[in-house]
């Protein structure tokens, strides 16, 4: 654990240079625009420890699956988002000496990531080994206004005497991926042009057997740069070409204290943007437009889009600058990772901040991230997350077929980029099937929030039917128990594998079956044409399937601890040694770094919310005392060794009125990366868990729910806050919710009135009006 | 399924050349002498499909473990026996054209492996592309009399006209392993000498980080050859050297029909035989002795040792030539694989016949192979198998410590060469812990057979205490059930993973605890000095540990199917779909090639004996009707997709009097490789399952047991046999048991009388006498 950044409400700040911190700040200061992103690697060469990372959404390499012992059903290839072309690089030489902070004496170093406008700035003074000193100011951004573009301004001034500054801005596609098996390189050059202040480089991932077998094309990334210089006396120099690398080179004579500035505007497009042969043209178009606009105008457009994002999603916290920074950082990174403009894209656990987990989509999206985008971005953004899965439905059906299911049942991959499974651990890949439940849940969550029943008719019904078919086939009728059981699963608590009757899985399976049945009735009634189309397309057996689904859902086993309100995580859980987390010696945590896997599996310790995850999804279904009993039983057994754990527990703690515990858990989530709780921030950020922070605040402290179609709040406030405020959108209404220690107000920024529930009472807020009510201290009242 | 060899009582015969069969016969005609062995690769170059294989016991490469997702506790390296120096190779040219059966027209091809004396012969006529024809006769053996030596005689005669025959005998250490990750080479040259008709080559496995981390030395193999020529007019030619390869070369002018013969005598020693710097000297000594003796004398010594082996272990079957060949093949291969002379060596699943499974030791040794060697070889042979594990006890304790056990508990590796774990699948490596039970069982099996209580005092007690400590720690007290449970295991049926209360595991755990307690009492009473030594060395808590062990053993949960005699394979088994193997569509078997892993896990289908394995070990413990009920329940659910399955079921079927079923299962085991049931004989032979064939005959049909310290038989006979006979040794007595359809006789080839049980009646057989009794047809009587 280490607090890297200075506390600041809007900025991540690195003061002073320490080579130990370089990788951490590369992660913390990552930039992204939903389409591409990168770690905050220095522009100039750096020979110290660094994790280079430039990533493009949807661009992946299908690496060969290698396991000790093959199991039928493993994907032969697993796609992974890989480190791609380095387009930020600018080698800098001062009188022919390389500027490399690892070999310089660095003073006055300050790096700032401004979250208001996603702009990264860096200033420092470097004394080169020769004694020459230069002052550097660098600034860059990845445009969220034109998602093809990135822009860098890099200014150097010799301090003591005149010097020749050499700039070598380049595009380097011949890069390595840290997470490769044998230092293999995954990229090869397709085309390169090195023109006068405009260079283009097209790379593609190396073709492997996967492409021939699957018919899926190799992915391309085409990058171009245009550079300009200000100040000094510039001369173009010849530059070496090598495969996968284009560069330009300039010598600039600068007087003492004269600033010479290189501006590098970059365009990147990928094969998601067009056919491979079109990409060079697209890049040149983008570069021409960028050059015409110039750095300042591009920056202004970028800033203005960011400003609009904060207008609808900011959270203000009074009384805790650390929490303020933490929450803003989470919201900021979520916006950088996903913008919802392209329904082929999704959210990887590390976004564009590192290569771990391979950039694939997990159930994190539906279970954790979805409510954030649903409430803070235009409705199409959340809808596109649903459409992403809908587009992949045929592959989910094919995946299920490969595993032995039939008749159009779908099993979504545990991890995916384009719909193909990217994971290869049998206990997860084949058995962590509850992901199918989260995908159904997100559809329901969307529809209840937006009221967009039309989506069910156009897309949702088909998805839900395929998911229901899966669950109906996956359940087994136990003749001994005379109930349906679900055998051999891994629940959200991945510290149990291949268990029987995981309550969470059984619950969401039965729920999905019922929701599919309800949706069939609704669509049949209100959208008969869509219903007929789907019945036809899916060969739906209208007489047989619903009967089975109803029987399975209605006769599912839900294990409980007898004589209590507690749902049993899975059968056999009570045979374990009955310990709580306080029994684990401090030196043995986290257990996943200290204990062998079988010991973890045998232990009663829980990685992340499991029964409680189900209660979180369906909080309206359970009386608060039932939730409390389950929380009080399971939370003390939970080691929270998933970044997704603390936030869900925080929501539930707030729900049952334990605000102190909720706040403690909230803090672990809000500053997980900023304070590097797990000593791994150098690998990248925990993007999907950042959404949990927002959930803990909005659904936890503020108690946001949907009850009978109405938005409902039941705000509480953590002890050391004086107040907090947040914004969210609900069916065209922008709401500003302000919670103080004495009163709570909700402003309806919309021309139509809105009825909501506040502490259970219905309040109708007129257009552009605010309702204020006394704070009712639910933390103590429950 | 394909029958490759002609049926013959003593020989494996390939008549005619078919390039499709080359790899299968390479496996079937493998040679070995317990110390080294090889596949029957041709001496001359062969450009067709072939699996080169030369192996040395105890010689391994520690490859880096590579898994998709690391779990704590995995070994960083896994040792594997790798393809080593090709010492059989002789390139042959006829008038400069290479002799390569893939490019010749081959006639009169016959290859014969004579199991009487482990000699491989091959004759053929080859027409070279030029039209030249030659007649070839090759013969070779790997000496079991001097285990350093191999000898080859290779004779060529031009048929139609005079020709120059070029021989290039070589030692090639620069070989590949098929089962490598990236076509890596694992060997490097240490030293090479190319003298006049005597060359030496020392190779070692490449040093990797493992060696530095473990302090374990790199393994070396040093080989030498001495060649001589007969016939024709020979001239030595210069020959190219390259790293890892030494060769000699001779041109021999032969008249038409004149036979020219090359004799190549080879010595191989490894770092198990001496320090690396001593090996060249040792090879030269061996070569000098071999040259002095010559091919014929070496062959005669080899033949005489084999003759003695058959004297004490042959099985004769009348009425089924196929079964006769099958059983002899099993016995032959077991003798080739393990001779019990070196307690650092053990038995890999494929012996020296292929590289699959990496040559490591599994529980196969104790559970399947042990009784064969115990009954057919000198007592020291079986004892050395026990000592092998005893030597590795410190590593088993270290392994257990790494997994969280303490106080000297031992967990033996699932797969090992030198005591280190070589397997990396968590559900096997960490959870298939029943292997610890088989290791205790073998000690008991040895002692009850030999009466060698002294072994318990000198070695066994220490092993049993470490094993008992493991089980006492591994069991969990369930407060719900008020019994000890064993959670998270994989039983012998590997089609279930991470289950709770596998009956077999719980049974053998409780049994081990009780056996350890009994052994403590016995050693304390009869060998007090040994007892004191062990108590001291193991820091045994004489007051605490036995109490716990007794409590755990006495209060262990043994799951049952209520209201029946049937022990439940594991908790939850009855919740599965209640199907039997006949419900599986024929096209979907074997299920391990057709179903995804999770589907196999969820199914009720059993890979190999599990509950029945436990009943097999302890048949005396269960009334025959209990065994029958369990067999009738489990066998129909068993797919026998392990080569170890059919034989154990055959023993039990015979035990319950179902001789027809026993015979059906026996046949699958006896000719598993000869008839290639699993279409994989090209990869190598199923050596450890061959012991099962012997068990099925001797313990199954003949009903061999130890009852109250007496050897007992209750012979039955399969329907289409007219009689069978086998030999075994029991406490100095060599017995010849002959079973006919009318009578059964047992001859005691020893100067002391022996009392045995025959059909339950005590019979005392005088020195060198035979007892004959009427056949009592147990197959029909039970």
């Amino acid at each position: 654990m280490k607090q890297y950044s200075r506390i600041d409400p809007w900025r991540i700040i690195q003061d002073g240079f320490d080579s130990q911190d370089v990788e951490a700040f590369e992660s913390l200061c990552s930039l992204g625009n939903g389409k591409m992103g990168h770690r905050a690697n220095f522009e100039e060469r750096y020979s110290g420890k660094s994790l280079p990372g430039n990533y493009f959404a949807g661009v992946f390499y299908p690496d060969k699956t290698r396991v000790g012992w093959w199991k039928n059903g493993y994907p032969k290839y697993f796609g992974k988002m890989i480190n791609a072309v380095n387009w930020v690089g600018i080698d800098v030489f001062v009188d022919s000496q390389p500027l490399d902070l690892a070999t310089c004496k660095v003073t006055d170093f300050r790096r700032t990531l401004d979250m208001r406008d996603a702009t990264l700035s860096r200033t420092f003074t470097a004394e080169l080994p020769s004694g020459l000193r230069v002052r550097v100011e660098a600034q860059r951004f990845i445009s969220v206004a034109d998602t093809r573009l990135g822009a860098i301004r890099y200014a150097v001034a010799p301090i003591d005497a005149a010097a020749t500054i050499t700039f070598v801005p380049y595009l380097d596609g011949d890069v390595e991926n840290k997470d490769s098996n044998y230092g293999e390189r995954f990229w090869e050059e397709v085309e390169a042009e090195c023109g006068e202040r405009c260079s283009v480089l097209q790379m593609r991932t190396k073709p492997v057997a996967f492409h021939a077998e699957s018919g899926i094309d190799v992915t391309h990334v085409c990058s171009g740069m245009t550079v300009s210089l200000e100040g000094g006396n510039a001369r173009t120099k010849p530059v070496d070409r090598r495969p996968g690398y284009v560069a330009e080179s300039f010598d600039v004579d600068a007087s003492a204290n004269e600033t010479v500035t290189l501006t590098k505007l970059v365009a990147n497009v990928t094969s998601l943007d067009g056919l491979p042969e079109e990409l060079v043209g697209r890049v040149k178009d983008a570069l021409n437009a960028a050059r015409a606009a110039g750095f300042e105008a591009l920056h202004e457009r970028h800033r203005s889009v960011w400003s609009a994002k904060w207008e609808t999603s900011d959270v203000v916290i009074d009384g805790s600058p650390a929490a303020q920074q933490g929450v803003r950082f989470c919201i900021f990174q979520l916006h950088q990772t996903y913008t919802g403009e392209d329904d082929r894209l999704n959210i990887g656990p590390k976004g564009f901040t590192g290569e771990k987990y391979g950039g694939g989509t997990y159930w994190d999206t539906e279970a954790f991230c979805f409510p954030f985008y649903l409430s803070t971005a235009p409705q199409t953004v959340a809808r596109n997350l649903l459409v992403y899965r809908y587009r992949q439905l045929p592959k989910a059906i094919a995946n299920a077929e490969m595993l032995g299911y039939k008749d159009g049942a779908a099993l979504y991959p545990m991890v995916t980029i384009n719909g193909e499974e990217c994971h290869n651990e049998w206990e997860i890949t084949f058995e962590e099937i509850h992901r199918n439940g989260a995908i159904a849940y997100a559809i329901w969550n969307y529809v209840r929030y937006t009221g967009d029943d039309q989506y069910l008719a156009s897309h949702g019904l088909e998805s839900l039917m395929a998911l229901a078919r899966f669950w109906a086939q996956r359940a087994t009728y136990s003749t001994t128990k005379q109930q349906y059981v679900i055998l051999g699963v891994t629940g959200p608590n991945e510290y149990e594998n291949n268990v029987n009757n995981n309550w969470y899985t059984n619950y969401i399976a039965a729920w999905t079956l019922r929701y599919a049945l309800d949706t069939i009735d609704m669509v049949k009634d209100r959208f008969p044409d869509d219903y007929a189309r789907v019945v036809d397309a899916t060969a739906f057996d209208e007489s047989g399937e619903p009967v089975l689904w109803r029987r399975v859902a209605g006769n599912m086993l839900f294990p409980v601890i007898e004589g209590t309100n507690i749902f049993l995580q899975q059968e056999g859980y009570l045979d374990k040694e009955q310990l709580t987390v306080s029994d684990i010696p401090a030196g043995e945590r986290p257990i996943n770094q200290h204990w062998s896997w079988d010991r973890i599996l045998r232990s009663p310790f829980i990685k992340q919310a499991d029964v409680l995850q189900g209660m979180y999804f369906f909080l309206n279904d359970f009386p608060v005392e039932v939730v409390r009993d389950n929380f009080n039983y399971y939370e003390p057994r939970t080691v929270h060794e998933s970044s997704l754990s603390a936030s869900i527990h925080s929501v539930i703690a707030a729900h049952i009125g334990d605000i102190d515990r909720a706040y403690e858990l909230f803090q672990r989530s809000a500053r997980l990366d900023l304070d590097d709780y797990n000593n791994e921030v150098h690998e990248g950020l925990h993007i999907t868990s950042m959404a949990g922070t927002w959930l803990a605040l909005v659904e936890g402290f503020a108690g946001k729910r949907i009850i009978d179609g109405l938005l409902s709040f039941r705000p509480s406030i953590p002890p050391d806050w004086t107040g907090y405020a947040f914004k969210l959108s609900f069916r065209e209404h922008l709401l500003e919710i302000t919670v103080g220690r004495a009163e709570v107000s909700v402003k309806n920024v919309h021309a139509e009135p809105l009825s909501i529930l506040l502490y259970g009472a219905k309040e109708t807020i007129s257009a552009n009006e605010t309702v204020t009510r006394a704070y009712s201290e639910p933390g103590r009242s429950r």
Side-chain angles (χ1 to χ4, degrees), chain A:
Chain A
M1 192 164 160
K2 174 172 175 177
Q3 184 185 304
Y4 283 97
S5 167
R6 274 182 41 189
I7 300 289
D8 183 282
W10 276 110
R11 294 177 302 174
I12 306 303
I13 301 171
Q14 179 184 15
D15 264 334
F17 178 75
D18 182 340
S19 61
Q20 297 299 312
D21 295 348
V22 167
E23 288 183 309
F25 274 103
E26 284 175 347
S27 298
L28 291 168
C29 294
S30 292
L31 294 177
N33 67 3
K35 182 140 190 303
M36 62 176 161
H38 61 219
R39 293 169 57 78
N41 308 127
F42 298 153
E43 289 85 356
E44 76 279 1
R45 142 181 340 183
Y46 180 65
S47 62
K49 211 160 168 230
S50 160
L51 175 60
N54 285 277
Y55 311 104
F56 294 90
V59 168
F60 70 98
Y61 178 81
D63 207 358
K64 204 166 162 62
T65 300
R66 292 173 180 108
V67 293
W69 300 83
W70 193 265
K71 314 272 197 197
N72 279 346
Y74 281 157
K76 286 166 73 179
Y77 299 87
F78 65 104
K80 57 188 192 187
M81 179 186 82
I82 49 173
N83 182 27
V85 57
N86 172 2
W87 57 263
V88 299
I90 304 170
D91 282 343
V92 179
F93 302 84
V94 181
D95 283 350
S96 301
Q97 282 188 87
L99 176 65
D100 173 355
L101 297 200
T103 63
C104 292
K105 194 175 149 197
V106 183
T107 50
D108 300 328
F109 182 96
R110 175 176 261 223
R111 169 152 54 180
T112 305
L113 172 62
D114 196 319
M115 299 189 278
R116 270 172 299 216
D117 57 8
T119 300
L120 180 63
S121 309
R122 188 163 53 109
T123 55
F124 60 86
T125 300
E127 181 181 323
L128 285 98
S130 65
L132 277 166
R133 290 191 309 154
V134 290
R135 180 78 195 148
V136 174
E137 278 190 48
Q139 195 181 37
R140 76 189 195 225
F141 63 92
I142 300 182
S143 176
V144 70
D146 182 338
T147 56
R148 302 168 299 180
L149 300 180
I152 304 163
R153 199 142 65 175
Y154 197 97
V156 184
I159 293 178
D160 310 301
T164 300
I165 311 297
T166 306
F167 291 107
V168 186
Y170 61 86
L171 303 169
D172 185 3
D174 183 28
V175 293
E176 282 188 332
N177 207 58
K178 191 180 174 191
D179 175 28
S180 72
N181 280 290
Y182 286 84
E184 297 156 292
R185 303 215 160 206
F186 298 127
W187 293 97
E188 62 185 23
E189 181 184 304
V190 179
E191 195 174 337
E193 271 181 47
C194 227
E196 181 67 24
R197 301 200 177 181
C198 173
S199 300
V200 177
L201 175 69
Q202 184 166 344
M203 303 294 293
R204 66 174 187 183
T205 54
K206 289 188 177 169
V208 291
F210 165 84
H211 299 104
E213 289 166 17
S214 67
I216 292 170
D217 290 332
V218 167
T219 39
H220 290 243
V221 171
C222 186
S223 308
M225 65 175 174
T226 176
V227 296
S228 58
L229 288 160
E230 288 165 69
N233 174 22
R235 300 179 301 282
T236 302
K237 285 177 70 176
V239 71
D240 289 339
R241 252 280 286 156
R242 61 170 200 268
Y245 174 90
V246 294
E248 302 177 28
S249 183
F250 309 93
D251 279 343
V252 191
D253 299 326
S255 337
N257 283 312
E258 183 184 16
T259 299
V260 294
T261 304
L262 178 102
T263 301
K264 179 179 179 184
L265 303 179
V266 178
N268 295 294
V269 299
T270 78
S271 37
L272 275 72
D273 300 311
L275 295 171
E277 57 272 25
E278 300 169 356
L279 299 185
V280 169
R282 285 176 187 265
V283 158
K284 288 183 177 174
D285 291 347
L287 279 183
N288 287 337
R291 191 161 38 199
F295 185 96
E296 287 300 344
L298 295 176
H299 197 200
E300 192 45 46
R301 290 176 206 160
H302 168 71
R303 292 162 58 97
S304 122
V305 176
W306 266 102
S307 173
K309 284 186 188 290
W310 287 114
E311 267 310 305
T312 59
S313 64
D314 191 24
V315 169
V316 175
I317 293 171
D318 294 325
S320 173
Q324 173 70 77
Q325 185 182 38
V327 170
R328 283 232 177 87
F329 188 61
C330 291
I331 295 171
F332 171 71
Q333 289 293 354
L334 288 164
H335 283 315
Q336 286 210 124
T337 304
Y338 184 75
T339 58
E341 287 170 10
D342 186 336
D343 60 22
R344 296 168 299 176
L345 304 185
N346 208 288
I347 303 152
K350 298 218 163 290
F352 301 112
T353 72
E355 59 195 49
K356 205 174 170 186
Y357 303 112
T361 303
Y362 288 67
W363 70 302
D364 299 27
T365 293
E366 286 80 8
F368 301 92
C369 302
F370 191 78
F372 168 79
Y373 296 104
L374 185 60
S375 297
T376 65
Q379 187 169 316
T380 55
V381 172
R383 188 177 188 279
N384 272 351
L385 286 173
L386 301 184
V387 173
Y388 173 88
R389 295 289 194 181
Y390 177 78
R391 288 171 65 104
Q392 298 183 355
L393 185 58
K395 284 193 178 169
I397 291 172
N399 182 48
E401 273 171 10
M402 191 180 71
L403 300 181
Y405 300 88
K406 47 189 200 257
D407 303 332
L411 176 61
Y412 278 92
M414 187 65 200
V415 185
T416 194
I417 294 178
N418 69 343
E420 315 244 337
E421 178 61 81
C422 299
H423 194 101
N424 48 51
E425 267 182 315
W426 64 266
E427 64 275 16
I428 307 292
T429 309
F430 306 148
E431 296 206 340
E432 201 171 333
I433 53 175
H434 67 76
R435 61 203 188 230
N436 253 7
I439 289 167
Y441 173 79
I443 296 172
W444 179 70
N445 211 8
Y446 169 81
V447 173
R448 71 171 171 163
Y449 196 87
T450 62
D452 180 11
D453 288 341
Q454 169 65 48
Y455 181 80
L456 289 174
S458 61
H459 299 73
L461 175 61
E462 210 176 325
S463 302
L464 291 168
M465 283 173 56
L467 295 168
R469 283 169 161 174
F470 171 83
W471 290 117
Q473 292 175 39
R474 186 57 168 77
T476 302
Y477 185 70
S478 165
T479 50
T480 311
K481 293 183 169 140
Q482 306 211 351
Q483 282 186 294
Y484 283 92
V485 294
I486 300 185
L487 305 178
V489 305
T490 295
N493 169 20
E494 291 171 328
Y495 287 176
E496 303 279 354
N497 288 160
N498 195 43
V499 300
N500 295 336
N501 293 309
N502 169 259
W503 180 86
Y504 173 81
T505 304
N506 287 20
Y507 193 87
I508 207 157
W511 175 86
T512 302
L513 289 164
R514 288 196 306 269
Y515 183 46
L517 289 164
D518 293 348
T519 302
I520 286 169
D521 291 345
M522 188 281 286
V523 174
K524 189 173 182 177
D525 183 43
R526 290 184 37 212
F527 304 92
D529 291 350
D530 282 304
Y531 179 74
R533 171 182 57 78
V534 172
V535 166
D536 189 50
T538 61
F540 182 56
D541 170 6
E542 289 181 275
S543 60
E545 291 189 81
V547 173
L548 175 64
W549 298 0
R550 203 163 283 120
R551 195 165 65 225
V552 175
N555 196 18
M556 182 72 80
L557 174 73
F558 297 113
V560 294
I561 300 183
E562 280 190 45
T564 73
N565 281 327
I566 299 162
F567 301 116
L568 192 61
Q569 187 178 268
Q570 79 263 355
E571 285 188 298
Y573 183 77
L574 289 181
D575 285 337
K576 290 165 177 270
E577 207 175 357
Q578 292 301 305
L579 302 172
T580 60
V581 172
S582 58
D583 296 315
I584 307 173
E588 298 183 10
R589 293 187 65 184
I591 58 172
N592 69 19
Q593 289 175 21
H594 292 87
W595 291 5
S596 72
W597 184 244
D598 59 311
R599 188 175 175 194
I600 291 173
L601 290 180
R602 274 197 309 286
S603 84
F605 302 118
I606 301 170
K607 183 183 179 191
Q608 70 182 93
D610 191 293
V611 166
L612 297 179
Q613 184 74 38
M615 307 201 92
Y616 161 71
F617 275 171
F618 302 106
L619 269 175
N620 296 349
D621 291 2
F622 304 98
V624 72
E625 59 273 19
V626 172
V627 179
R628 185 181 292 117
D629 286 355
N630 279 273
F631 181 86
N632 288 339
Y633 183 79
Y634 284 113
E635 200 283 330
R637 289 162 169 78
T638 303
V639 288
H640 301 297
E641 291 179 11
S642 160
S643 65
L644 301 168
S645 187
S647 55
I648 297 303
H649 283 87
S650 180
V651 173
I652 294 181
H655 181 78
I656 63 174
D658 187 347
I659 300 302
D660 289 344
R661 190 86 187 98
Y663 189 50
E664 189 189 318
L665 291 157
F666 166 85
Q667 284 173 303
R668 286 169 67 157
S669 179
R671 294 189 58 89
L672 175 70
D673 289 317
L674 285 177
D675 292 346
D676 199 14
Y677 274 79
N678 297 339
N679 192 29
E680 60 187 18
V681 74
H682 55 284
E683 296 175 343
L685 307 176
H686 296 85
I687 297 296
T688 49
S689 87
M690 290 178 171
T693 301
W694 185 90
L695 294 175
L697 191 141
V698 173
E699 299 188 353
F701 299 138
K704 186 204 95 178
R705 304 279 181 276
I706 303 294
I707 296 176
D708 299 330
L710 295 182
L711 192 56
S712 165
F713 297 98
R714 195 178 277 277
S716 57
I717 186 166
D720 64 353
W721 293 3
T722 52
Y724 65 99
F726 60 93
K727 297 174 176 185
L728 55 76
S729 300
F730 181 74
R731 304 189 184 184
E732 310 290 313
H733 302 262
L734 175 65
L735 300 180
E736 295 175 12
I737 298 89
T738 307
V739 182
R741 299 209 71 87
E743 40 178 56
V744 171
S745 67
V746 181
K747 182 174 180 191
N748 170 21
V749 190
H750 192 56
E752 298 289 327
L754 177 71
S755 293
I756 66 165
L757 296 172
L758 195 53
Y759 294 120
K762 187 165 177 176
E763 308 278 2
T764 300
I765 319 176
S766 308
N768 293 307
E769 288 298 322
T770 301
V771 161
T772 302
R773 295 291 175 263
Y775 177 63
S776 84
E777 303 178 59
R780 271 168 263 177
S781 67
R782 280 188 198 158

